[in-house]
């Protein structure tokens, strides 16, 4: 609980790189160091986009260091006129310092906020920068974000030999694991090479003695066809677009298939930065596709009477890559996972429609096959919608099972909590905000759906009730009938609760992937402990947090009495406690369930839940079981 005393002495000003060290999760992904590598890599790629770099090398060294080198112009080494330090020191030590704000030095760039490499410096044990520029080689070093040695000339190089090499060792205290996720990194490096034709990217993993080189002349088309290897595509030649304007560009490639793999290719990029949550360029792409196909269908009378297709119908069987380039893109946050540049949407939409309209009218037979796939998707969606509506009218206001519905129908605010057990469900009903929060108690562990088809799992009454409540049937990508904007898994903080949460995550990943991709699935983080010290009350998610809180309380004057309560389950919490810790948007903690083309979610779920992987699971448990903390 906060101190009642509040005056000027309580105001703290963070300077230099302290904000990053204090709250690293606001600046980077703290699950592993991959995002640090991406921040350094993006600066090198920006040099390539501007025509000053043709080679980038990434090395994972045996001693835990990571090295990224390029043959660009090299960071500035002259003194900044205002700050009186070298350009390279300013870039590494000061937040929001960079050459990409005005657009004068870089037409298109990914590093926009000027915090990328300074974040890398702040979160690294050691970091050194070597700059080759103007026939000289310069070196500067840092420890924990602080300058360890001044910038100095350390040698001479050829006049045409220029570039920057950054070598750093991530500080393990800021990351859940200090191991680089190599598979995801290689996927990113390959994508960068695809999206920047003429750029050679070399990767070297010293620990595994692995070397890979990527260089693509054909760009997106070859990338799509390589990714779709083994999948029968509808079009013999994928549709390719390349449209340039004064301050923005669009490239995309798209094809369709009758049978798509679990991990179908649907990637979007802005200035070569992967935008995992899409944004305005993806929305413009969808809008242009839909407008072109609707126009084609209406002109040729292909649509059945009364049937309307939407963008998800057009993309339900599609694989595609969209790459946008624009000056001063507006991202939703520092990790740049979603583009918010509204003006770019109309450019992408109009360009996509023009390209696809011309293509459809010159490839009418193949166009009709694409239209047929969209029509089939729309018809399936219409049938699902009718099923859900009939269930709604049959069930009445109460809907299925023990669902306690909310009053609002606005997806921007409605929330459904899937609560473990009737006891916790009763408390949650009292704790909720009835206007926008709905509660649905679950009967313990649901069916393991990971190896099952969507048509089979609907036979389970629990899953049938759940699907009717959210308004979407398993396996359906159309979310037009979705009843809640957020679906929150609320289970106990013990091992059984984690098991239930894992089974629900598997259900959504396998059978409701569109909900996950739209960022609508969340996992609530209920506390395991309540710690009382006088009038102060704090909650802890786990033993580590409990010990930290107890230690802070012990440091108080007067040796106060500390009481620790361990919750055996959510049912032990009274409604006010439940409201404060897991339901109030101002005080709760939610973790968003998300996936990306580069993660290993499917392989991990296969290992954990697939019946076919029992031997591998046993071996994994024997090897990793001792790491579990009881």
């Amino acid at each position: 609980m906060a101190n009642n005393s509040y005056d000027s002495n309580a105001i703290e000003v963070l300077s230099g790189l302290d904000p990053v060290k204090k709250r690293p999760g606001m600046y980077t992904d703290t699950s592993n160091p991959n995002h640090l590598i991406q921040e350094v890599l993006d600066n090198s790629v920006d040099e390539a986009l501007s025509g000053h770099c043709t080679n980038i090398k990434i090395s994972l060294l045996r001693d835990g260091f990571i090295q990224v080198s390029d043959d660009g112009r090299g960071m500035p080494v002259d003194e900044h006129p205002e700050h009186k330090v070298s350009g390279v020191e300013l870039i590494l030590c000061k937040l929001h310092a960079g050459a990409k704000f005005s657009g004068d030095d870089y037409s298109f760039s990914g590093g926009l906020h000027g915090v990328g490499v300074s974040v890398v410096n702040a979160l690294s044990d050691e970091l050194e920068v070597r700059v080759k520029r103007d026939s000289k080689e310069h070196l500067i070093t840092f420890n924990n974000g602080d300058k360890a040695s001044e910038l100095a000339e350390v040698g001479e190089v050829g006049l045409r030999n220029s570039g920057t090499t950054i070598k750093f060792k991530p500080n393990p205290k800021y990351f859940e694991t200090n191991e680089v996720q190599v598979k995801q990194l290689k996927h990113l490096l390959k994508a960068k090479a695809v999206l920047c034709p003429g750029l050679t990217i070399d990767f070297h993993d010293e620990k595994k003695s692995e070397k890979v080189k990527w260089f693509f002349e054909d760009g997106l088309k070859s990338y799509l066809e390589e990714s779709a290897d083994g999948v029968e595509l509808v079009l013999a030649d994928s549709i390719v677009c390349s449209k340039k304007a004064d301050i923005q560009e669009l490239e995309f490639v798209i094809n369709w298939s009758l049978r798509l793999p679990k991990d179908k290719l649907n990637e979007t990029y802005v200035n070569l930065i992967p935008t995992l949550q899409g944004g305005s360029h993806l929305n413009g792409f969808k809008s242009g596709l839909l407008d072109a196909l609707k126009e084609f269908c209406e002109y040729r009378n292909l649509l059945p009477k009364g049937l309307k297709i939407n963008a998800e119908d057009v993309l339900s069987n599609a694989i595609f890559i969209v790459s946008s380039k624009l000056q001063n893109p507006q991202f939703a946050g520092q990790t740049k996972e979603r583009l918010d540049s509204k003006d770019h949407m109309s450019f992408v939409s109009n360009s996509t429609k023009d390209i696809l309209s011309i293509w459809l009218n010159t490839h009418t037979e193949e166009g009709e096959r694409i239209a047929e796939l969209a029509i089939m998707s729309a018809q399936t969606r219409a049938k699902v919608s009718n099923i859900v509506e009939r269930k709604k009218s049959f069930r009445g206001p109460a809907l299925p099972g023990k669902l306690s519905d909310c009053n609002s129908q606005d997806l921007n605010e409605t929330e459904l909590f899937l609560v473990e057990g009737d006891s916790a469900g009763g408390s949650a009903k009292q704790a909720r905000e009835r206007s926008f929060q709905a509660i649905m108690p679950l009967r313990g562990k649901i069916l393991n759906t990971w190896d099952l088809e969507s048509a089979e799992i609907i036979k389970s009454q629990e899953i049938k009730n759940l699907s009717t409540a959210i308004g979407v049937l398993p396996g359906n990508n159309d979310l037009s009938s979705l009843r809640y904007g957020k679906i929150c898994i609320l289970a106990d903080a013990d091992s059984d609760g984690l098991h239930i949460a894992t089974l629900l995550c598997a259900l959504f990943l396998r059978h409701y992937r569109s909900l996950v991709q739209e960022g609508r699935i969340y996992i609530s983080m209920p506390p395991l402990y309540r710690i009382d010290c006088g009038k102060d009350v704090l909650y802890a998610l786990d033993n580590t947090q409990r010990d930290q809180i107890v230690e802070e309380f012990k440091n108080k004057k007067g040796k106060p009495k500390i009481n620790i309560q361990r919750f055996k389950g959510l049912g032990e919490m009274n409604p006010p406690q439940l409201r404060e810790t897991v339901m109030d948007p101002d005080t709760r903690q939610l973790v968003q369930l998300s996936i990306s083309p580069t993660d290993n979610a499917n392989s991990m779920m296969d290992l954990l839940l697939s019946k076919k992987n029992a031997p591998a699971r046993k071996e994994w448990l024997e090897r990793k079981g001792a790491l579990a903390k009881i």
Side-chain angles (χ1 to χ4, degrees), residues 394-538:
F394 176 75
R395 291 282 183 177
L399 283 169
K402 300 178 181 180
L403 174 70
S404 296
D405 206 3
C406 57
N407 298 328
S408 174
Q409 296 181 359
D410 183 0
L411 289 185
N412 293 320
E413 64 175 5
T414 52
E415 300 174 347
L416 172 64
F417 284 84
L418 305 177
V419 186
E420 175 190 352
D422 290 336
S423 176
S427 295
K429 288 175 189 176
Q430 297 178 57
R432 69 175 173 142
E433 178 58 55
R434 186 183 295 270
S435 63
F436 65 92
Q437 290 179 328
I439 307 296
M440 184 170 178
L442 300 176
R443 299 175 183 174
K445 296 179 175 68
I446 68 162
L447 178 71
N448 180 0
T449 63
W450 187 251
D451 283 338
L452 302 177
E453 295 296 325
S454 297
E456 294 180 64
I457 68 168
I458 201 65
K459 297 174 185 177
S460 164
Q461 189 62 45
E462 195 79 358
I463 294 174
K464 190 176 183 181
N465 289 341
L466 191 153
S467 63
T468 307
I470 65 177
V472 181
L473 287 179
N476 182 30
N477 290 324
D478 176 41
L479 305 182
S480 60
S481 57
L482 183 65
R483 302 185 68 248
Y484 303 97
K486 285 183 179 177
I487 299 170
C488 308
I489 299 169
L490 178 52
D492 291 345
D494 56 15
S495 56
D496 281 341
L498 293 174
H499 188 190
I500 291 170
T502 301
L503 290 171
L504 285 167
C505 287
L507 170 68
F508 289 116
L509 282 169
R510 175 73 172 85
H511 302 281
Y512 291 95
R513 206 170 186 88
S514 296
L515 287 176
V516 180
Q517 290 171 334
E518 284 206 359
R520 297 194 180 276
I521 308 298
Y522 293 81
I523 296 90
S524 300
M525 303 297 289
L528 194 59
Y529 297 97
R530 170 183 165 137
I531 302 101
D532 295 72
C533 180
K535 294 182 179 180
D536 293 340
V537 178
L538 292 176

Side-chain angles (χ1 to χ4, degrees), residues 113-363:
H113 302 146
V115 299
V117 287
S118 55
V119 168
V120 178
N121 189 22
L123 303 181
S124 295
D125 277 333
E126 300 175 51
L127 182 145
E128 70 170 42
V129 184
R130 291 181 179 271
V131 178
K132 296 177 182 178
R133 189 178 174 118
D134 302 327
S135 302
K136 305 288 186 181
E137 183 175 9
H138 306 261
L139 173 67
I140 186 171
T141 62
F142 302 86
N143 288 334
N144 295 312
D146 300 320
K147 184 170 61 174
S149 68
E150 297 288 346
L151 180 70
E153 289 185 14
V154 292
E156 295 186 0
V157 295
L159 184 61
R160 295 185 179 181
N161 189 354
S162 63
T164 302
T165 298
I166 296 181
K167 180 181 175 183
F168 64 96
K169 189 173 187 178
N171 190 329
K173 77 177 184 179
Y174 295 115
F175 300 93
E176 295 173 20
T177 174
N178 231 31
E179 291 294 321
V180 174
Q181 306 302 299
V182 176
K183 182 179 178 181
Q184 292 91 313
L185 176 60
K186 287 165 64 178
H187 181 94
L188 176 69
L189 298 177
K190 179 180 178 181
K192 298 284 189 184
V194 168
L195 295 165
C196 195
L199 174 65
T200 300
I201 295 184
D202 282 287
F203 172 72
H204 183 200
D205 186 347
E206 284 191 353
K207 294 179 181 178
K208 298 180 180 178
S209 299
E210 179 184 16
K211 291 184 178 181
V212 188
K213 178 182 289 188
W214 295 280
F215 175 81
F216 289 88
E217 284 184 323
D218 204 10
L220 296 183
K221 184 179 178 183
S222 58
Y223 181 35
L224 181 141
E225 290 170 355
E226 183 179 312
S227 300
D229 186 34
V231 176
E232 185 177 350
L233 299 176
V234 170
L235 307 180
D237 291 311
S238 301
I239 302 174
V240 179
C241 163
S242 181
K243 181 71 175 290
K244 295 184 179 182
D246 292 338
I247 59 171
Q248 51 194 339
E249 296 180 10
L250 170 68
E251 289 184 84
F252 72 74
V253 60
I254 187 169
N255 209 319
W256 286 261
S257 175
L258 294 174
R259 294 181 62 85
L260 290 171
K262 276 185 184 179
D263 298 320
K264 71 173 185 176
L265 186 69
N266 52 359
E267 298 178 5
T268 61
Y269 297 84
V270 173
N271 295 355
L272 278 66
I273 304 282
T275 45
L276 303 182
Q277 296 180 15
S280 47
H281 56 324
L282 178 58
N283 294 335
F285 177 65
K286 289 180 177 180
S287 174
L289 284 176
L290 178 61
D291 289 346
L293 193 64
K294 281 174 65 177
E295 192 177 84
F296 177 75
C297 289
E298 289 167 1
Y299 180 75
R300 304 184 70 82
N301 294 318
L302 299 177
L303 287 176
K305 187 176 181 181
L307 185 69
K308 293 183 178 180
I309 61 173
N310 61 25
E312 297 306 323
D313 296 325
V314 181
L315 290 174
S316 60
N317 286 76
I319 54 175
F320 62 86
I321 309 155
V322 178
S323 174
S324 283
K325 295 175 186 174
L326 63 156
Q327 289 184 1
N328 300 316
Q330 303 299 311
F331 290 100
Q334 168 57 24
T335 52
K336 308 182 183 83
E337 293 185 333
R338 188 178 78 247
L339 180 69
D340 280 350
S341 298
K342 307 304 180 188
D343 294 342
H344 188 59
M345 179 176 170
S346 59
F347 170 75
V348 175
S349 178
N350 293 334
S351 302
T352 303
K353 183 184 178 184
D354 291 346
I355 292 290
L356 195 67
S357 294
I358 294 171
W359 188 92
L360 289 170
N361 286 296
T362 53
H363 300 78

Side-chain angles (χ1 to χ4, degrees), residues 3 34 71 112 114 139 164 226 241 343 365 407 409 469-470 493 503 564 570 589 595 610 618:
N3 193 329
N34 278 47
D71 60 355
L112 299 165
L139 173 67
T164 302
E226 183 179 312
C241 163
D343 294 342
E365 186 176 339
N407 298 328
Q409 296 181 359
I470 65 177
L503 290 171
I564 301 174
L570 295 169
Q589 292 189 54
I595 51 175
S610 178
K618 179 181 178 183

